[in-house]
Amino acid sequence: MTQAQQIIPLSTSSQEDVVWDTEEREYHSDIWDNPVVTNVAEPTLTHFAPAEAAEGASAVIVCPGGGLYALSIESEGTKVAEWLVDQGVHAFVLKYRLIPTGEDAISEMQQPGSNLYEKAAKVLPLATEDALNALTHIREGAGEYGIDPEKIGIIGFSAGGALTMSTTYQYDEATRPNFIGPIYAWMNVVEETPVPADAPPMFAMCATDDPLQLAPASVKLYQDWIEAGKSAELHMYSKGGHGFGMKKQDLPSDHWIERFYEWMVEEGF
């Protein structure tokens, strides 16, 4: 049995260009048929700890997706964390800063003229700061948590995958993730950047039938890593669609997280 042990606030720098006029909200989106969190202005980590974990265990930061308008907090957040802790892995669900919205962020996102990319360009750097701060917090507190500071990874879904890669392109020695997992990453909002010289091993996954046509971007990430001589593994499922996370669809893609964990074991994490 697992439970969230701790909610950890993360510090933020100045954000003068982005103003949140309404409170953070958590509700069930009928449009997405998912619990979502919206209008995040104050980033946090929610720590899920294994009931029994060996000293020097691994840790994974989990970044839910949602187009930077929302976080699919259950199927791409807490359910992922719960599965990982059952394997003895510490999981930290990251609530990163989002585009400011009103009462129904999902409806706003789908309205014509929403200027999604312009808004995303302002908020993604803030979310990236949140992810880097999360890596710093976990590494600095690794001894207290019982975590190996050289076994801290980050995975993200869709916009969370964009955040995973934005973080990977901007880390320094102190904030370098030891492994990364861009899951059907929404790379349209990430500036193309050379592979870091010390790039961490990558596990990438997507579905060929992703309606947002994100499969080619996952293939490109894999090719970039391979061409740079870095370790990478790619799982491309023929069917799965987009945004499935931990939802069961009676498809082979239902088992992606098992493949991710097998890869962690094989890579020594």
Side-chain angles (χ1 to χ4, degrees):
M1 182 176 180
T2 61
Q3 60 181 359
Q5 288 192 333
Q6 186 180 10
I7 297 178
I8 305 147
L10 297 172
S11 61
T12 60
S13 60
S14 175
Q15 50 204 31
E16 296 174 0
D17 292 341
V18 184
V19 178
W20 290 266
D21 293 323
T22 56
E23 296 294 319
E24 179 180 312
R25 186 178 176 217
E26 183 166 356
Y27 63 101
H28 183 92
S29 167
D30 292 334
I31 296 173
W32 285 0
D33 190 24
N34 265 318
V36 297
V37 173
T38 62
N39 216 53
V40 176
E42 298 179 357
T44 63
L45 282 173
T46 302
H47 179 207
F48 291 73
E52 296 182 9
E55 189 69 21
S58 302
V60 177
I61 298 170
V62 182
C63 306
L68 292 169
Y69 268 74
L71 302 176
S72 183
I73 198 66
E74 185 176 275
S75 67
E76 296 176 350
T78 57
K79 294 295 185 184
V80 178
E82 289 167 358
W83 194 96
L84 289 170
V85 296
D86 284 345
Q87 320 311 312
V89 177
H90 288 259
F92 294 80
V93 177
L94 175 63
K95 289 203 315 188
Y96 52 89
R97 281 172 285 179
L98 298 174
I99 292 167
T101 53
E103 283 296 305
D104 191 347
I106 312 306
S107 295
E108 288 184 34
M109 180 183 184
Q110 298 183 345
Q111 288 175 359
S114 63
N115 299 320
L116 172 59
Y117 288 96
E118 179 182 336
K119 293 176 180 177
K122 290 184 177 181
V123 170
L124 184 58
L126 304 181
T128 302
E129 179 187 31
D130 300 338
L132 292 168
N133 285 343
L135 284 157
T136 297
H137 170 83
I138 297 168
R139 185 156 284 133
E140 289 180 349
E144 181 181 344
Y145 287 125
I147 291 169
D148 186 333
E150 299 305 316
K151 294 183 179 180
I152 302 170
I154 181 170
I155 66 170
F157 303 79
S158 193
L163 175 56
T164 297
M165 295 314 303
S166 177
T167 302
T168 300
Y169 294 136
Q170 296 184 49
Y171 64 73
D172 58 22
E173 184 178 353
T175 56
R176 177 185 179 272
N178 301 108
F179 56 96
I180 59 173
I183 309 299
Y184 43 83
W186 181 40
M187 294 301 293
N188 309 56
V189 294
V190 181
E191 184 177 346
E192 188 164 346
T193 306
V195 177
D198 59 346
M202 170 194 288
F203 175 98
M205 184 276 282
C206 196
T208 303
D209 68 349
D210 188 306
L212 301 184
Q213 300 181 336
L214 301 185
S218 292
V219 174
K220 186 178 186 306
L221 283 174
Y222 172 79
Q223 290 175 327
D224 288 347
W225 251 241
I226 293 302
E227 289 172 4
K230 306 304 177 183
S231 176
E233 181 163 319
L234 173 67
H235 290 260
M236 189 63 64
Y237 294 96
S238 62
K239 296 180 180 180
H242 182 75
F244 47 90
M246 296 296 287
K247 286 187 173 182
K248 299 304 179 186
Q249 305 181 92
D250 294 324
L251 294 170
S253 55
D254 292 352
H255 304 286
W256 72 267
I257 198 165
E258 296 164 33
R259 307 291 82 79
F260 173 69
Y261 180 70
E262 291 167 353
W263 171 81
M264 283 182 61
V265 172
E266 182 64 25
E267 290 287 332
F269 297 119

PDB file of all heavy atoms in Angstrom, residues 136-170:
ATOM      1  N   THR A 136      16.987  19.707  -8.104  1.00  0.00           N
ATOM      2  CA  THR A 136      17.879  20.209  -7.055  1.00  0.00           C
ATOM      3  C   THR A 136      17.403  19.759  -5.679  1.00  0.00           C
ATOM      4  O   THR A 136      18.203  19.268  -4.858  1.00  0.00           O
ATOM      5  CB  THR A 136      17.941  21.742  -7.102  1.00  0.00           C
ATOM      6  OG1 THR A 136      18.499  22.154  -8.354  1.00  0.00           O
ATOM      7  CG2 THR A 136      18.794  22.291  -5.963  1.00  0.00           C
ATOM      8  N   HIS A 137      16.114  19.902  -5.426  1.00  0.00           N
ATOM      9  CA  HIS A 137      15.573  19.530  -4.109  1.00  0.00           C
ATOM     10  C   HIS A 137      15.814  18.054  -3.807  1.00  0.00           C
ATOM     11  O   HIS A 137      16.258  17.704  -2.703  1.00  0.00           O
ATOM     12  CB  HIS A 137      14.072  19.830  -4.061  1.00  0.00           C
ATOM     13  CG  HIS A 137      13.414  19.262  -2.843  1.00  0.00           C
ATOM     14  ND1 HIS A 137      13.428  19.901  -1.622  1.00  0.00           N
ATOM     15  CD2 HIS A 137      12.770  18.080  -2.646  1.00  0.00           C
ATOM     16  CE1 HIS A 137      12.813  19.148  -0.732  1.00  0.00           C
ATOM     17  NE2 HIS A 137      12.392  18.041  -1.318  1.00  0.00           N
ATOM     18  N   ILE A 138      15.517  17.197  -4.769  1.00  0.00           N
ATOM     19  CA  ILE A 138      15.638  15.757  -4.510  1.00  0.00           C
ATOM     20  C   ILE A 138      17.099  15.363  -4.351  1.00  0.00           C
ATOM     21  O   ILE A 138      17.448  14.581  -3.459  1.00  0.00           O
ATOM     22  CB  ILE A 138      14.968  14.956  -5.638  1.00  0.00           C
ATOM     23  CG1 ILE A 138      13.458  15.266  -5.675  1.00  0.00           C
ATOM     24  CG2 ILE A 138      15.181  13.453  -5.444  1.00  0.00           C
ATOM     25  CD1 ILE A 138      12.757  14.752  -6.911  1.00  0.00           C
ATOM     26  N   ARG A 139      17.976  15.924  -5.174  1.00  0.00           N
ATOM     27  CA  ARG A 139      19.391  15.563  -5.063  1.00  0.00           C
ATOM     28  C   ARG A 139      19.976  16.059  -3.741  1.00  0.00           C
ATOM     29  O   ARG A 139      20.724  15.335  -3.083  1.00  0.00           O
ATOM     30  CB  ARG A 139      20.162  16.116  -6.261  1.00  0.00           C
ATOM     31  CG  ARG A 139      21.616  15.688  -6.304  1.00  0.00           C
ATOM     32  CD  ARG A 139      22.183  15.734  -7.713  1.00  0.00           C
ATOM     33  NE  ARG A 139      21.743  14.614  -8.532  1.00  0.00           N
ATOM     34  CZ  ARG A 139      21.284  14.735  -9.780  1.00  0.00           C
ATOM     35  NH1 ARG A 139      21.200  15.924 -10.354  1.00  0.00           N
ATOM     36  NH2 ARG A 139      20.915  13.662 -10.460  1.00  0.00           N
ATOM     37  N   GLU A 140      19.632  17.274  -3.349  1.00  0.00           N
ATOM     38  CA  GLU A 140      20.154  17.797  -2.080  1.00  0.00           C
ATOM     39  C   GLU A 140      19.600  17.027  -0.882  1.00  0.00           C
ATOM     40  O   GLU A 140      20.271  16.900   0.138  1.00  0.00           O
ATOM     41  CB  GLU A 140      19.826  19.282  -1.959  1.00  0.00           C
ATOM     42  CG  GLU A 140      20.629  20.161  -2.913  1.00  0.00           C
ATOM     43  CD  GLU A 140      20.289  21.637  -2.776  1.00  0.00           C
ATOM     44  OE1 GLU A 140      19.290  21.965  -2.086  1.00  0.00           O
ATOM     45  OE2 GLU A 140      21.025  22.467  -3.350  1.00  0.00           O
ATOM     46  N   GLY A 141      18.381  16.519  -1.006  1.00  0.00           N
ATOM     47  CA  GLY A 141      17.773  15.773   0.087  1.00  0.00           C
ATOM     48  C   GLY A 141      17.857  14.274  -0.063  1.00  0.00           C
ATOM     49  O   GLY A 141      17.170  13.538   0.667  1.00  0.00           O
ATOM     50  N   ALA A 142      18.686  13.810  -0.998  1.00  0.00           N
ATOM     51  CA  ALA A 142      18.734  12.382  -1.315  1.00  0.00           C
ATOM     52  C   ALA A 142      19.026  11.528  -0.083  1.00  0.00           C
ATOM     53  O   ALA A 142      18.403  10.481   0.122  1.00  0.00           O
ATOM     54  CB  ALA A 142      19.774  12.126  -2.405  1.00  0.00           C
ATOM     55  N   GLY A 143      19.976  11.970   0.743  1.00  0.00           N
ATOM     56  CA  GLY A 143      20.331  11.194   1.923  1.00  0.00           C
ATOM     57  C   GLY A 143      19.163  11.054   2.887  1.00  0.00           C
ATOM     58  O   GLY A 143      18.908   9.970   3.428  1.00  0.00           O
ATOM     59  N   GLU A 144      18.419  12.149   3.072  1.00  0.00           N
ATOM     60  CA  GLU A 144      17.259  12.125   3.961  1.00  0.00           C
ATOM     61  C   GLU A 144      16.163  11.215   3.425  1.00  0.00           C
ATOM     62  O   GLU A 144      15.494  10.511   4.184  1.00  0.00           O
ATOM     63  CB  GLU A 144      16.730  13.544   4.140  1.00  0.00           C
ATOM     64  CG  GLU A 144      15.537  13.652   5.065  1.00  0.00           C
ATOM     65  CD  GLU A 144      15.040  15.079   5.189  1.00  0.00           C
ATOM     66  OE1 GLU A 144      15.797  16.007   4.813  1.00  0.00           O
ATOM     67  OE2 GLU A 144      13.904  15.261   5.650  1.00  0.00           O
ATOM     68  N   TYR A 145      15.978  11.245   2.118  1.00  0.00           N
ATOM     69  CA  TYR A 145      14.942  10.420   1.509  1.00  0.00           C
ATOM     70  C   TYR A 145      15.351   8.949   1.384  1.00  0.00           C
ATOM     71  O   TYR A 145      14.507   8.078   1.172  1.00  0.00           O
ATOM     72  CB  TYR A 145      14.602  10.935   0.110  1.00  0.00           C
ATOM     73  CG  TYR A 145      13.819  12.225   0.070  1.00  0.00           C
ATOM     74  CD1 TYR A 145      14.294  13.325  -0.648  1.00  0.00           C
ATOM     75  CD2 TYR A 145      12.596  12.345   0.729  1.00  0.00           C
ATOM     76  CE1 TYR A 145      13.575  14.510  -0.703  1.00  0.00           C
ATOM     77  CE2 TYR A 145      11.869  13.530   0.680  1.00  0.00           C
ATOM     78  CZ  TYR A 145      12.359  14.601  -0.041  1.00  0.00           C
ATOM     79  OH  TYR A 145      11.652  15.783  -0.094  1.00  0.00           O
ATOM     80  N   GLY A 146      16.652   8.668   1.461  1.00  0.00           N
ATOM     81  CA  GLY A 146      17.133   7.319   1.197  1.00  0.00           C
ATOM     82  C   GLY A 146      17.259   7.027  -0.280  1.00  0.00           C
ATOM     83  O   GLY A 146      17.098   5.886  -0.731  1.00  0.00           O
ATOM     84  N   ILE A 147      17.557   8.074  -1.050  1.00  0.00           N
ATOM     85  CA  ILE A 147      17.657   7.981  -2.505  1.00  0.00           C
ATOM     86  C   ILE A 147      19.112   8.108  -2.933  1.00  0.00           C
ATOM     87  O   ILE A 147      19.884   8.887  -2.359  1.00  0.00           O
ATOM     88  CB  ILE A 147      16.822   9.110  -3.158  1.00  0.00           C
ATOM     89  CG1 ILE A 147      15.314   8.853  -2.938  1.00  0.00           C
ATOM     90  CG2 ILE A 147      17.131   9.265  -4.640  1.00  0.00           C
ATOM     91  CD1 ILE A 147      14.447  10.034  -3.300  1.00  0.00           C
ATOM     92  N   ASP A 148      19.497   7.349  -3.937  1.00  0.00           N
ATOM     93  CA  ASP A 148      20.823   7.482  -4.541  1.00  0.00           C
ATOM     94  C   ASP A 148      20.823   8.746  -5.398  1.00  0.00           C
ATOM     95  O   ASP A 148      20.026   8.856  -6.342  1.00  0.00           O
ATOM     96  CB  ASP A 148      21.122   6.254  -5.406  1.00  0.00           C
ATOM     97  CG  ASP A 148      22.539   6.253  -5.959  1.00  0.00           C
ATOM     98  OD1 ASP A 148      23.125   7.334  -6.143  1.00  0.00           O
ATOM     99  OD2 ASP A 148      23.055   5.151  -6.241  1.00  0.00           O
ATOM    100  N   PRO A 149      21.688   9.733  -5.112  1.00  0.00           N
ATOM    101  CA  PRO A 149      21.668  10.980  -5.882  1.00  0.00           C
ATOM    102  C   PRO A 149      22.055  10.806  -7.345  1.00  0.00           C
ATOM    103  O   PRO A 149      21.857  11.722  -8.147  1.00  0.00           O
ATOM    104  CB  PRO A 149      22.682  11.864  -5.146  1.00  0.00           C
ATOM    105  CG  PRO A 149      23.572  10.911  -4.422  1.00  0.00           C
ATOM    106  CD  PRO A 149      22.710   9.752  -4.044  1.00  0.00           C
ATOM    107  N   GLU A 150      22.572   9.616  -7.707  1.00  0.00           N
ATOM    108  CA  GLU A 150      22.920   9.337  -9.100  1.00  0.00           C
ATOM    109  C   GLU A 150      21.876   8.446  -9.775  1.00  0.00           C
ATOM    110  O   GLU A 150      22.129   7.890 -10.839  1.00  0.00           O
ATOM    111  CB  GLU A 150      24.300   8.672  -9.161  1.00  0.00           C
ATOM    112  CG  GLU A 150      25.423   9.537  -8.602  1.00  0.00           C
ATOM    113  CD  GLU A 150      25.492  10.907  -9.272  1.00  0.00           C
ATOM    114  OE1 GLU A 150      25.372  10.970 -10.518  1.00  0.00           O
ATOM    115  OE2 GLU A 150      25.641  11.911  -8.545  1.00  0.00           O
ATOM    116  N   LYS A 151      20.693   8.347  -9.162  1.00  0.00           N
ATOM    117  CA  LYS A 151      19.600   7.557  -9.745  1.00  0.00           C
ATOM    118  C   LYS A 151      18.295   8.351  -9.699  1.00  0.00           C
ATOM    119  O   LYS A 151      17.260   7.863  -9.277  1.00  0.00           O
ATOM    120  CB  LYS A 151      19.441   6.224  -9.002  1.00  0.00           C
ATOM    121  CG  LYS A 151      20.615   5.271  -9.165  1.00  0.00           C
ATOM    122  CD  LYS A 151      20.349   3.942  -8.455  1.00  0.00           C
ATOM    123  CE  LYS A 151      21.504   2.977  -8.635  1.00  0.00           C
ATOM    124  NZ  LYS A 151      21.261   1.681  -7.944  1.00  0.00           N
ATOM    125  N   ILE A 152      18.371   9.598 -10.163  1.00  0.00           N
ATOM    126  CA  ILE A 152      17.200  10.480 -10.178  1.00  0.00           C
ATOM    127  C   ILE A 152      16.836  10.787 -11.622  1.00  0.00           C
ATOM    128  O   ILE A 152      17.622  11.370 -12.360  1.00  0.00           O
ATOM    129  CB  ILE A 152      17.476  11.784  -9.414  1.00  0.00           C
ATOM    130  CG1 ILE A 152      17.875  11.480  -7.965  1.00  0.00           C
ATOM    131  CG2 ILE A 152      16.245  12.696  -9.453  1.00  0.00           C
ATOM    132  CD1 ILE A 152      18.386  12.686  -7.205  1.00  0.00           C
ATOM    133  N   GLY A 153      15.639  10.370 -12.020  1.00  0.00           N
ATOM    134  CA  GLY A 153      15.196  10.580 -13.394  1.00  0.00           C
ATOM    135  C   GLY A 153      13.961  11.443 -13.475  1.00  0.00           C
ATOM    136  O   GLY A 153      13.352  11.805 -12.467  1.00  0.00           O
ATOM    137  N   ILE A 154      13.569  11.772 -14.700  1.00  0.00           N
ATOM    138  CA  ILE A 154      12.373  12.573 -14.941  1.00  0.00           C
ATOM    139  C   ILE A 154      11.670  12.029 -16.166  1.00  0.00           C
ATOM    140  O   ILE A 154      12.301  11.751 -17.195  1.00  0.00           O
ATOM    141  CB  ILE A 154      12.724  14.073 -15.102  1.00  0.00           C
ATOM    142  CG1 ILE A 154      11.471  14.914 -15.336  1.00  0.00           C
ATOM    143  CG2 ILE A 154      13.755  14.298 -16.203  1.00  0.00           C
ATOM    144  CD1 ILE A 154      11.716  16.416 -15.260  1.00  0.00           C
ATOM    145  N   ILE A 155      10.349  11.822 -16.044  1.00  0.00           N
ATOM    146  CA  ILE A 155       9.542  11.431 -17.201  1.00  0.00           C
ATOM    147  C   ILE A 155       8.364  12.395 -17.304  1.00  0.00           C
ATOM    148  O   ILE A 155       7.921  12.974 -16.313  1.00  0.00           O
ATOM    149  CB  ILE A 155       9.040   9.974 -17.124  1.00  0.00           C
ATOM    150  CG1 ILE A 155       8.042   9.766 -15.983  1.00  0.00           C
ATOM    151  CG2 ILE A 155      10.208   9.002 -16.999  1.00  0.00           C
ATOM    152  CD1 ILE A 155       7.355   8.409 -16.028  1.00  0.00           C
ATOM    153  N   GLY A 156       7.865  12.569 -18.518  1.00  0.00           N
ATOM    154  CA  GLY A 156       6.740  13.471 -18.712  1.00  0.00           C
ATOM    155  C   GLY A 156       5.927  13.071 -19.923  1.00  0.00           C
ATOM    156  O   GLY A 156       6.430  12.452 -20.863  1.00  0.00           O
ATOM    157  N   PHE A 157       4.663  13.461 -19.886  1.00  0.00           N
ATOM    158  CA  PHE A 157       3.687  13.066 -20.884  1.00  0.00           C
ATOM    159  C   PHE A 157       3.224  14.276 -21.689  1.00  0.00           C
ATOM    160  O   PHE A 157       2.809  15.289 -21.099  1.00  0.00           O
ATOM    161  CB  PHE A 157       2.477  12.424 -20.194  1.00  0.00           C
ATOM    162  CG  PHE A 157       2.831  11.245 -19.332  1.00  0.00           C
ATOM    163  CD1 PHE A 157       3.365  11.428 -18.060  1.00  0.00           C
ATOM    164  CD2 PHE A 157       2.665   9.950 -19.807  1.00  0.00           C
ATOM    165  CE1 PHE A 157       3.701  10.341 -17.263  1.00  0.00           C
ATOM    166  CE2 PHE A 157       3.010   8.861 -19.017  1.00  0.00           C
ATOM    167  CZ  PHE A 157       3.532   9.051 -17.749  1.00  0.00           C
ATOM    168  N   SER A 158       3.303  14.199 -23.007  1.00  0.00           N
ATOM    169  CA  SER A 158       2.830  15.265 -23.886  1.00  0.00           C
ATOM    170  C   SER A 158       3.509  16.589 -23.528  1.00  0.00           C
ATOM    171  O   SER A 158       4.718  16.718 -23.704  1.00  0.00           O
ATOM    172  CB  SER A 158       1.309  15.358 -23.807  1.00  0.00           C
ATOM    173  OG  SER A 158       0.803  16.158 -24.846  1.00  0.00           O
ATOM    174  N   ALA A 159       2.775  17.576 -22.989  1.00  0.00           N
ATOM    175  CA  ALA A 159       3.433  18.813 -22.557  1.00  0.00           C
ATOM    176  C   ALA A 159       4.437  18.536 -21.453  1.00  0.00           C
ATOM    177  O   ALA A 159       5.460  19.226 -21.339  1.00  0.00           O
ATOM    178  CB  ALA A 159       2.394  19.825 -22.085  1.00  0.00           C
ATOM    179  N   GLY A 160       4.159  17.518 -20.619  1.00  0.00           N
ATOM    180  CA  GLY A 160       5.149  17.100 -19.627  1.00  0.00           C
ATOM    181  C   GLY A 160       6.384  16.505 -20.276  1.00  0.00           C
ATOM    182  O   GLY A 160       7.488  16.585 -19.734  1.00  0.00           O
ATOM    183  N   GLY A 161       6.207  15.901 -21.449  1.00  0.00           N
ATOM    184  CA  GLY A 161       7.354  15.416 -22.224  1.00  0.00           C
ATOM    185  C   GLY A 161       8.160  16.568 -22.786  1.00  0.00           C
ATOM    186  O   GLY A 161       9.395  16.526 -22.835  1.00  0.00           O
ATOM    187  N   ALA A 162       7.459  17.619 -23.223  1.00  0.00           N
ATOM    188  CA  ALA A 162       8.157  18.838 -23.654  1.00  0.00           C
ATOM    189  C   ALA A 162       8.961  19.411 -22.500  1.00  0.00           C
ATOM    190  O   ALA A 162      10.107  19.836 -22.672  1.00  0.00           O
ATOM    191  CB  ALA A 162       7.143  19.866 -24.152  1.00  0.00           C
ATOM    192  N   LEU A 163       8.355  19.412 -21.313  1.00  0.00           N
ATOM    193  CA  LEU A 163       9.062  19.892 -20.125  1.00  0.00           C
ATOM    194  C   LEU A 163      10.276  19.024 -19.809  1.00  0.00           C
ATOM    195  O   LEU A 163      11.346  19.539 -19.464  1.00  0.00           O
ATOM    196  CB  LEU A 163       8.094  19.915 -18.945  1.00  0.00           C
ATOM    197  CG  LEU A 163       8.672  20.264 -17.582  1.00  0.00           C
ATOM    198  CD1 LEU A 163       9.386  21.604 -17.605  1.00  0.00           C
ATOM    199  CD2 LEU A 163       7.568  20.260 -16.525  1.00  0.00           C
ATOM    200  N   THR A 164      10.120  17.719 -19.946  1.00  0.00           N
ATOM    201  CA  THR A 164      11.249  16.802 -19.726  1.00  0.00           C
ATOM    202  C   THR A 164      12.410  17.150 -20.640  1.00  0.00           C
ATOM    203  O   THR A 164      13.571  17.208 -20.211  1.00  0.00           O
ATOM    204  CB  THR A 164      10.797  15.348 -19.967  1.00  0.00           C
ATOM    205  OG1 THR A 164       9.794  15.009 -19.002  1.00  0.00           O
ATOM    206  CG2 THR A 164      11.954  14.376 -19.867  1.00  0.00           C
ATOM    207  N   MET A 165      12.113  17.412 -21.919  1.00  0.00           N
ATOM    208  CA  MET A 165      13.181  17.706 -22.866  1.00  0.00           C
ATOM    209  C   MET A 165      13.729  19.121 -22.691  1.00  0.00           C
ATOM    210  O   MET A 165      14.933  19.343 -22.813  1.00  0.00           O
ATOM    211  CB  MET A 165      12.677  17.495 -24.294  1.00  0.00           C
ATOM    212  CG  MET A 165      12.330  16.044 -24.604  1.00  0.00           C
ATOM    213  SD  MET A 165      13.596  14.838 -24.054  1.00  0.00           S
ATOM    214  CE  MET A 165      15.059  15.445 -24.922  1.00  0.00           C
ATOM    215  N   SER A 166      12.870  20.080 -22.379  1.00  0.00           N
ATOM    216  CA  SER A 166      13.355  21.436 -22.104  1.00  0.00           C
ATOM    217  C   SER A 166      14.314  21.419 -20.923  1.00  0.00           C
ATOM    218  O   SER A 166      15.370  22.077 -20.935  1.00  0.00           O
ATOM    219  CB  SER A 166      12.163  22.357 -21.817  1.00  0.00           C
ATOM    220  OG  SER A 166      12.593  23.655 -21.488  1.00  0.00           O
ATOM    221  N   THR A 167      13.977  20.628 -19.908  1.00  0.00           N
ATOM    222  CA  THR A 167      14.853  20.479 -18.744  1.00  0.00           C
ATOM    223  C   THR A 167      16.165  19.819 -19.132  1.00  0.00           C
ATOM    224  O   THR A 167      17.253  20.232 -18.681  1.00  0.00           O
ATOM    225  CB  THR A 167      14.133  19.647 -17.663  1.00  0.00           C
ATOM    226  OG1 THR A 167      12.909  20.299 -17.315  1.00  0.00           O
ATOM    227  CG2 THR A 167      14.988  19.469 -16.427  1.00  0.00           C
ATOM    228  N   THR A 168      16.085  18.810 -19.981  1.00  0.00           N
ATOM    229  CA  THR A 168      17.279  18.095 -20.420  1.00  0.00           C
ATOM    230  C   THR A 168      18.221  19.007 -21.196  1.00  0.00           C
ATOM    231  O   THR A 168      19.443  18.881 -21.103  1.00  0.00           O
ATOM    232  CB  THR A 168      16.874  16.882 -21.275  1.00  0.00           C
ATOM    233  OG1 THR A 168      16.059  15.999 -20.486  1.00  0.00           O
ATOM    234  CG2 THR A 168      18.084  16.124 -21.793  1.00  0.00           C
ATOM    235  N   TYR A 169      17.676  19.931 -21.964  1.00  0.00           N
ATOM    236  CA  TYR A 169      18.507  20.830 -22.749  1.00  0.00           C
ATOM    237  C   TYR A 169      19.098  21.971 -21.920  1.00  0.00           C
ATOM    238  O   TYR A 169      19.973  22.687 -22.401  1.00  0.00           O
ATOM    239  CB  TYR A 169      17.702  21.417 -23.910  1.00  0.00           C
ATOM    240  CG  TYR A 169      17.273  20.407 -24.950  1.00  0.00           C
ATOM    241  CD1 TYR A 169      15.980  20.421 -25.478  1.00  0.00           C
ATOM    242  CD2 TYR A 169      18.155  19.433 -25.419  1.00  0.00           C
ATOM    243  CE1 TYR A 169      15.577  19.505 -26.430  1.00  0.00           C
ATOM    244  CE2 TYR A 169      17.758  18.499 -26.372  1.00  0.00           C
ATOM    245  CZ  TYR A 169      16.468  18.543 -26.868  1.00  0.00           C
ATOM    246  OH  TYR A 169      16.072  17.618 -27.822  1.00  0.00           O
ATOM    247  N   GLN A 170      18.621  22.145 -20.675  1.00  0.00           N
ATOM    248  CA  GLN A 170      19.057  23.310 -19.898  1.00  0.00           C
ATOM    249  C   GLN A 170      19.716  22.977 -18.561  1.00  0.00           C
ATOM    250  O   GLN A 170      20.079  23.891 -17.830  1.00  0.00           O
ATOM    251  CB  GLN A 170      17.845  24.225 -19.642  1.00  0.00           C
ATOM    252  CG  GLN A 170      17.255  24.810 -20.911  1.00  0.00           C
ATOM    253  CD  GLN A 170      16.124  25.778 -20.642  1.00  0.00           C
ATOM    254  OE1 GLN A 170      16.239  26.681 -19.813  1.00  0.00           O
ATOM    255  NE2 GLN A 170      15.010  25.602 -21.334  1.00  0.00           N
TER     256      GLN A 170
END
